[in-house]
């Protein structure tokens, strides 16, 4: 019995990922890298790729109740996470069309973007996209759906908590609710009807997310993977991220809080952490795998959190599902190491904090874009610690910047074709400097006012300030085809008509 007990305990202990389980792009020969990239482009161009975005969270830690994807994170362009990611899709589907069908080819089958929201963020998010003309995407290529929710329980006796005498206190069911929500919302049915075979999935708060990266898609699809995960080496033993482990014949994830100190700090002979590979929630799925796990009962994790009830805010139990609980059901899984500085910049903590904040994410993006510009032959003036911002509409991942060779750019600024620039180039005749485009509202001050009305009394002043700031904030649409551009044309047309009428009357006199 004693021996059996020890074996059982050992079986339950987390097992580190083996080195051969993690692929690295840099270790592949160029011909293989290009073949996987070309395959990814073909899948995208043929309409066989869908993108799933997890965007149910509010920006509470950022000092607002806005959906996190709508928050101005103080980039030079004032673009939000939603806008940047939408523009990456616009750029990527064009790249895929040209790589597959030839230079100058139009997009034949747009990427479908399935955006999972919560009941707290859906109404505002849909309005935000509509007001900004879907950031250059077609309305019918975006599929909004809502994740599920579960009752909150009393920490003392496990009874259901009430938000009011007639309303149960509920909370979102965690990112693991994605599987059931994809099925119940009709997303999986839509994917099958559209011929989608490969699905890219990521979280809204990663500023550097390579949405539907063609190399990653082509790699996982060519390997016949049910699940593929991008991963980065842990920054330190105490970094608060889950880590990949071996689970059965496949892989799983253990949260940082579930590793004891000895496990978290254990190292290999080469000094690398034993549990080294971070889960950054950037997955590939085959559609067939999603259909299979959508019917599975993944169980629940319990978290003790503040719950607003009819008696005030109390400590309660929130039930959550985790997205990685489905991974062990995969028959084949691929792990791909990616460069942290190029693909992982989370926005989780408040402005002004030195880790995983809008400030750190913004710095990472602008330094990456500075490297792109310098690799293209441009000179960047200004502090070496300060980068610049390149619009996704100009470059998805550093490509198509050859015309910058020999040009001088200013650090701390934004470059975007089709939008006004701020002290960017020293050459006024450069084709990069475009006419001023139409402007669209970046954040909805009316919506902010509504949100402020629902806040606690102590929060009202900060939200009022945020609303005033949002009313001043604008972003620039690409090409002036949004609602702001149409309204401007109508106003100019009406003014011209009036002038012509007056001129006609004067001529008759």
């Amino acid at each position: 019995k004693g021996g059996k007990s020890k074996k059982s305990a050992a079986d339950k202990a987390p097992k580190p990922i083996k080195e051969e389980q993690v692929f690295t792009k840099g270790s592949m020969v160029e011909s293989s890298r290009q073949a996987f990239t070309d395959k990814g482009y073909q899948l995208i161009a043929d309409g066989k790729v869908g993108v799933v975005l997890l965007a149910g969270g509010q920006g509470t830690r950022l000092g607002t109740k806005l959906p996190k994807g709508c928050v101005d994170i103080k980039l030079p362009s004032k673009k939000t996470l939603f806008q940047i990611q939408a523009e990456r899709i616009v750029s990527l589907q064009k790249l895929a069309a040209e790589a597959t069908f030839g230079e100058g080819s139009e997009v034949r089958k747009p990427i479908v973007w399935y955006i999972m929201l919560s009941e707290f963020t859906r109404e505002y998010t849909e309005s935000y996209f509509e007001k900004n003309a879907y950031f250059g995407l077609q309305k019918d290529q975006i599929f909004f759906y809502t994740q599920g929710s579960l009752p909150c329980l009393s920490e003392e006796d496990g009874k259901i908590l009430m938000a009011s005498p007639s309303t149960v206190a509920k909370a979102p069911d965690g990112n693991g609710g994605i599987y059931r929500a994809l099925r119940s919302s009709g997303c999986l049915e839509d994917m099958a009807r559209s011929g989608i075979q490969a699905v890219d999935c990521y979280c809204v708060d990663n500023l550097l997310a390579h949405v539907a990266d063609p190399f990653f898609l082509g790699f996982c699809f060519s390997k016949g993977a049910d699940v593929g995960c991008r991963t980065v080496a842990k920054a330190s033993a105490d970094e608060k991220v889950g880590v990949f482990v071996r689970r059965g014949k496949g892989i799983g994830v253990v949260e940082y809080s579930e590793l004891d100190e000895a496990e978290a700090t254990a190292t290999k002979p080469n000094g690398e952490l034993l549990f080294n590979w971070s889960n950054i929630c950037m997955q590939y799925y085959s559609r067939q795998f999603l259909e299979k796990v959508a019917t599975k009962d993944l169980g629940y994790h319990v978290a003790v959190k503040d719950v607003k009830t009819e008696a005030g805010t109390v400590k309660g139990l929130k039930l959550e599902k985790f997205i990685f609980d489905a991974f062990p059901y995969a028959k084949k899984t691929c792990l791909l190491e990616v460069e942290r500085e190029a693909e992982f910049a989370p926005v989780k903590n408040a402005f002004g904090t030195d880790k995983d904040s809008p400030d750190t994410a913004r710095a990472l993006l602008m330094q990456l874009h500075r490297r792109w510009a310098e690799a293209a032959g441009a000179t960047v003036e200004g502090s070496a610690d300060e980068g610049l911002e390149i619009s996704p509409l100009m470059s998805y991942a550093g490509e198509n910047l050859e015309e910058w060779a020999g040009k001088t750019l200013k650090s701390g600024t934004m470059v975007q074709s089709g939008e006004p620039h701020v002290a960017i180039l020293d050459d006024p005749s450069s084709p990069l400097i475009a006419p001023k485009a139409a402007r669209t509202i970046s954040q909805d001050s009316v919506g902010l006012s509504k949100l402020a009305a629902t806040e606690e009394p102590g929060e009202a002043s900060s939200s009022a300030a945020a609303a005033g700031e949002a009313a001043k904030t604008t972003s620039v649409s690409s090409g002036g085809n949004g609602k702001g551009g149409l309204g401007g044309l109508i106003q100019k047309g009406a003014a011209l008509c009036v002038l012509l009428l007056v001129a006609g009357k004067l001529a008759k006199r």
Side-chain angles (χ1 to χ4, degrees):
K1 287 182 179 178
K4 186 174 181 181
S5 174
K6 287 181 182 179
K7 185 178 178 181
S8 177
D11 286 343
K12 291 180 180 179
K15 297 179 177 62
I17 291 292
K18 295 179 180 179
E19 295 229 2
E20 59 268 25
Q21 288 181 279
V22 182
F23 296 87
T24 303
K25 186 176 182 179
S27 66
M28 301 178 193
V29 297
E30 176 58 31
S31 58
S32 293
R33 293 198 297 267
Q34 191 59 52
F36 290 137
T37 301
D38 290 343
K39 184 61 181 179
Y41 278 143
Q42 183 184 1
L43 290 168
I44 293 167
D46 290 341
K48 294 180 179 179
V49 171
V51 174
V52 171
L53 169 61
L54 308 179
Q58 294 172 289
T60 308
R61 294 186 191 175
L62 307 181
T64 176
K65 288 189 176 181
L66 284 175
K68 190 178 284 188
C70 299
V71 177
D72 176 6
I73 57 173
K74 309 303 181 187
L75 285 166
S77 66
K78 301 296 182 183
K79 291 181 181 179
T80 62
L81 290 161
F82 277 139
Q83 181 169 358
I84 289 168
Q85 292 160 17
E87 290 181 352
R88 283 181 185 149
I89 293 175
V90 171
S91 187
L92 175 60
Q93 59 191 19
K94 179 63 174 173
L95 286 173
E98 293 194 338
T100 305
F101 306 123
E103 187 175 349
S105 296
E106 294 298 320
V107 176
R108 301 182 186 181
K109 294 189 176 180
I111 295 170
V112 183
W113 199 13
Y114 301 90
I115 302 178
M116 187 173 83
L117 304 165
S118 68
E119 60 183 86
F120 306 106
T121 61
R122 178 158 183 173
E123 182 180 358
Y124 187 93
T125 300
E126 288 198 58
S127 174
Y128 177 68
F129 270 78
E130 183 180 1
K131 283 179 169 61
N132 286 282
Y134 301 94
F135 303 109
L137 296 170
Q138 300 173 23
K139 181 179 179 179
D140 60 4
Q141 76 181 101
I142 302 176
F143 195 130
F144 297 106
Y145 66 108
T146 307
Q147 73 182 111
S149 59
L150 292 167
C152 299
L153 308 177
S154 165
E155 187 180 15
E156 296 178 357
D157 54 19
K159 290 183 178 179
I160 292 176
L161 295 172
M162 302 298 292
S164 72
S166 60
T167 309
V168 172
K170 293 182 179 181
D173 59 1
N175 58 18
I178 177 181
Y179 304 111
R180 187 163 292 180
L182 283 171
R183 183 185 180 208
S184 62
S185 65
C187 289
L188 290 179
E189 184 180 348
D190 183 77
M191 290 179 188
R193 186 169 52 249
S194 302
I196 290 171
Q197 297 180 21
V199 177
D200 186 60
C201 177
Y202 70 101
C203 290
V204 72
D205 60 8
N206 182 3
L207 181 60
L208 290 182
H210 280 195
V211 182
D213 173 29
F215 171 79
F216 180 59
L217 289 168
F219 172 75
C220 294
F221 186 87
S222 299
K223 295 289 184 182
D226 292 321
V227 172
C229 299
R230 283 177 267 190
T231 182
V232 297
K234 286 188 71 173
S236 62
D238 61 352
E239 185 179 16
K240 294 183 177 181
V241 291
V243 293
F244 288 105
V245 296
R246 284 181 287 143
R247 187 153 289 167
K249 295 182 179 180
I251 66 165
V253 173
V254 172
E255 283 286 44
Y256 65 89
S257 56
E258 297 175 309
L259 289 175
D260 62 36
E261 186 177 355
E263 291 168 332
T265 57
T267 59
K268 301 174 187 176
N270 63 2
E272 186 180 276
L273 289 170
L274 190 62
F275 294 95
N276 188 48
W277 298 108
S278 305
N279 171 36
I280 56 176
C281 202
M282 298 178 71
Q283 286 91 232
Y284 163 98
Y285 298 104
S286 70
R287 192 196 77 236
Q288 290 79 4
F289 177 78
L290 289 175
E291 290 171 342
K292 180 174 76 173
V293 296
T295 62
K296 300 287 186 183
D297 183 3
L298 300 180
Y300 299 100
H301 300 261
V302 179
V304 179
K305 295 185 179 180
D306 289 338
V307 179
K308 290 186 177 181
T309 71
E310 57 181 332
T313 300
V314 302
K315 290 292 183 183
L317 305 179
K318 292 186 178 181
L319 305 177
E320 298 177 316
K321 296 179 180 181
F322 291 167
I323 197 167
F324 51 72
D325 286 336
F327 294 174
Y329 289 103
K331 291 182 179 178
K332 184 163 187 179
T333 306
C334 292
L335 287 178
L336 180 71
E337 181 186 10
V338 297
E339 185 184 354
R340 177 186 287 265
E341 291 76 13
E343 296 200 37
F344 187 51
V347 179
K348 295 185 180 297
N349 299 320
F351 285 94
T353 54
D354 60 1
K355 186 179 290 185
D356 296 346
S357 70
D359 308 296
T360 58
R362 185 176 61 250
L364 284 168
L365 178 133
M366 293 181 70
Q367 281 293 342
L368 174 65
H369 289 187
R370 179 178 184 140
R371 294 196 296 273
W372 289 357
E374 292 174 337
T379 299
V380 181
E381 290 184 345
S383 170
D385 295 331
E386 189 175 32
L388 53 82
E389 181 187 358
I390 299 171
S391 167
L393 297 175
M394 292 192 72
S395 183
Y396 168 79
E399 74 293 325
N400 296 332
L401 301 177
E402 295 81 6
E403 61 185 309
W404 290 14
K407 302 292 183 182
T408 299
L409 296 85
K410 304 277 188 185
S411 65
T413 58
M414 180 273 290
V415 182
Q416 169 138 0
S417 180
E419 296 188 3
H421 305 304
V422 184
I424 295 295
L425 297 167
D426 60 346
D427 178 7
S429 64
S430 168
L432 294 178
I433 294 186
K436 197 167 185 178
R439 298 163 73 87
T440 59
I441 295 173
S442 177
Q443 297 199 25
D444 183 358
S445 58
V446 175
L448 275 166
S449 300
K450 290 180 180 177
L451 287 165
T454 65
E455 292 180 338
E456 299 295 323
E459 299 174 333
S461 59
S462 60
S463 286
E469 182 65 25
K472 301 175 188 174
T473 305
T474 58
S475 69
V476 190
S477 67
S478 58
N481 292 322
K483 291 187 175 181
L486 180 58
L489 288 172
I490 291 171
Q491 287 179 338
K492 289 176 182 177
L496 182 59
C497 288
V498 171
L499 287 172
L500 288 172
L501 286 170
V502 171
K505 287 183 179 180
L506 289 172
K508 285 179 182 178
R509 288 179 183 178

